[in-house]
Amino acid sequence: MTLPTKPLAGVKVLELGTLIAGPFAARICAEFGADVIKVESPDGGDPLRKWRKLYEGTSLWWFVQARNKQSLTLNLKKPEAIEIVKKLVAQTDIVIENFRPGVLEKLGLSWDVLSAINPGLVMVRLSGFGQTGPYKDQPGFGAVGESMGGLRYVTGFPDRPPVRTGISIGDSIAALWAVIGALMALRHREVNGGKGQVVDVALYEAVFAMMESLIPEFDMMGFIRERTGNIMPGITPSSIHTTQDGKHIQIGANGDAIFKRFMQAIGRHDLADDPALTDNAGRDQRRDELYQVIDSWVAGQNEAQAMALLNRAEVPASRVYSVEDMFHDPQYLAREMIQHATLPDGKSFKMPGIVPKLSDTPGSTEWLGPELGAHTESILTSLDIAPELIEALKTKGVI
Ligand SMILES: CC(C)(COP(=O)(O)OP(=O)(O)OC[C@H]1O[C@@H](n2cnc3c(N)ncnc32)[C@H](O)[C@@H]1OP(=O)(O)O)[C@@H](O)C(=O)NCCC(=O)NCCSC(=O)C(=O)O
């Protein structure tokens, strides 16, 4: 018997979603071998196709976000399209959707309807606020989830308004929860009689789940965590420092042995041997003094000098990488984190490698995000829909 080469080979996913949260979850499944059909409106498809930088009219993000997926156009406002979705659901393991709660119900594709067609179905539902509760009907973007979930409040400097992290982190974290939930539900189905269930992921809760000790600290001590810039009060020293040549490096010397090595390496034996600084609590009490010492040492080095010394002393540290740095970095290259592919017109294309790395059944890129509706005919044919009927569906604007 030949073993499948990818861990999710044979798992069928139907994606009813747009932009980031749902599609990123389905992308992870597709990278690891699931058979992913993405339903898109015939009228332009997923708006992500036009987000950020375009190459010959298509978003470069799209090529990555939809890799290994099949594109099926369906106008879900047409009853024929709903019938096609139902046929697909009959043979689907996981539906991933990120419409506003109630949208699928209005279309006649509620959980009750879909689970009656396929009792083993796992339905992953991503939304701003969840499928229940007073806010459930509100639309929600990742930025809103990051604000409500607590991330924005603690991100930035204390004397400035909250800032964005630089990427749509709320959507992407929600996608990870979605995949975790889907895999847990599949496992449960396998060992408990084949019954599926709903995985309800709210953007704000996806972020909230990352908020460390926020809740018990407030509950027990009335402590409200505030913005602290690059430092982590209570965990010292760990921060970003500016070099003589104007670069930024992150140094994490917040370990007892690491701190000692660092101070020895920069010639501060007085601090390395100070009994009051042997543990985190002691260091944190003298936080301002230590940051001044490190700031001024880094300010006297250029980036390469500082990094060489930090590496020699085995102090966890990194330059703050731009994308350009990634392209030349030996660690990125050794672990194939920058992959090469070819765009439809033959142009060379670099994209992120696949995370995580599985030793025996790794993920891979089979093809880049497809053209709108590239797989419509083959999928409909596989559902035994005759060619004349497919033509008729086209004429009626269903596909
Ligand atoms: C992303 C949204 C805010 C977008 O809000 P809206 O533009 O109001 O969209 P809705 O989902 O409410 O509804 C979309 C409408 O399109 C219709 N619709 C959808 N797909 C189709 C197809 N294939 N064919 C025809 N019609 C379609 C659907 O029936 C709805 O019709 P009507 O019912 O007739 O209106 C919302 O979808 C949402 O809250 N989603 C859950 C949270 C989420 O995933 N957000 C992350 C997005 S990315 C992000 O946050 C970020 O980048 O940052």
Side-chain angles (χ1 to χ4, degrees), residues 193-317:
K195 202 169 152 349
Q197 60 184 306
V198 175
V199 177
D200 176 359
V201 179
L203 287 171
Y204 90 93
E205 288 164 10
V207 171
F208 170 73
M210 301 287 164
M211 295 306 297
E212 303 175 350
S213 49
L214 193 80
I215 293 292
E217 283 174 359
F218 178 68
D219 178 47
M220 301 292 290
M221 294 164 186
F223 178 75
I224 297 178
R225 187 155 162 177
E226 300 287 345
R227 292 184 286 290
T228 58
N230 287 313
I231 67 164
M232 297 190 280
I235 303 160
T236 301
S238 175
S239 191
I240 287 187
H241 309 271
T242 306
T243 61
Q244 203 172 44
D245 50 344
K247 304 282 177 52
H248 305 291
I249 53 177
Q250 165 70 43
I251 304 177
N254 50 301
D256 299 346
I258 296 169
F259 176 75
K260 202 173 172 69
R261 287 202 299 273
F262 183 28
M263 290 300 113
Q264 283 166 346
I266 64 172
R268 291 302 302 261
H269 298 280
D270 56 324
L271 299 175
D273 297 334
D274 187 336
L277 298 176
T278 51
D279 68 4
N280 186 55
R283 289 192 297 273
D284 197 51
Q285 272 188 9
R286 287 165 58 185
R287 190 196 298 156
D288 292 347
E289 173 195 344
L290 294 181
Y291 283 127
Q292 264 176 19
V293 166
I294 302 169
D295 272 343
S296 74
W297 175 74
V298 175
Q301 316 282 311
N302 65 34
E303 184 191 59
Q305 287 169 327
M307 282 309 302
L309 180 134
L310 289 160
N311 286 340
R312 267 201 313 278
E314 297 182 349
V315 176

Side-chain angles (χ1 to χ4, degrees), residues 18-22 39-42 48 51 61 73-78 97-104 106-107 126-129 137-144 146 164 168 171 203:
T18 56
L19 300 174
I20 309 175
V39 172
E40 294 187 84
S41 159
L48 191 96
W51 269 25
W61 191 354
T73 49
L74 283 179
N75 178 351
L76 295 174
K77 295 286 169 66
K78 304 270 188 188
E97 69 101 359
N98 70 319
F99 295 127
R100 203 194 301 200
V103 166
L104 279 187
K106 261 197 294 183
L107 292 169
L126 297 107
S127 61
F129 309 97
D137 298 327
Q138 293 297 322
F141 282 114
V144 172
E146 288 160 31
R164 183 174 187 262
S168 301
D171 293 294
L203 287 171

Side-chain angles (χ1 to χ4, degrees), residues 177-197:
W177 289 126
V179 175
I180 293 167
L183 297 178
M184 288 193 286
L186 279 190
R187 165 73 177 150
H188 179 261
R189 182 179 86 171
E190 203 177 287
V191 296
N192 284 286
K195 202 169 152 349
Q197 60 184 306

Side-chain angles (χ1 to χ4, degrees), residues 97 100-113 123 125 131:
E97 69 101 359
R100 203 194 301 200
V103 166
L104 279 187
E105 283 73 5
K106 261 197 294 183
L107 292 169
L109 296 171
S110 66
W111 165 245
D112 288 348
V113 169
M123 187 171 185
R125 313 197 69 174
Q131 302 295 319

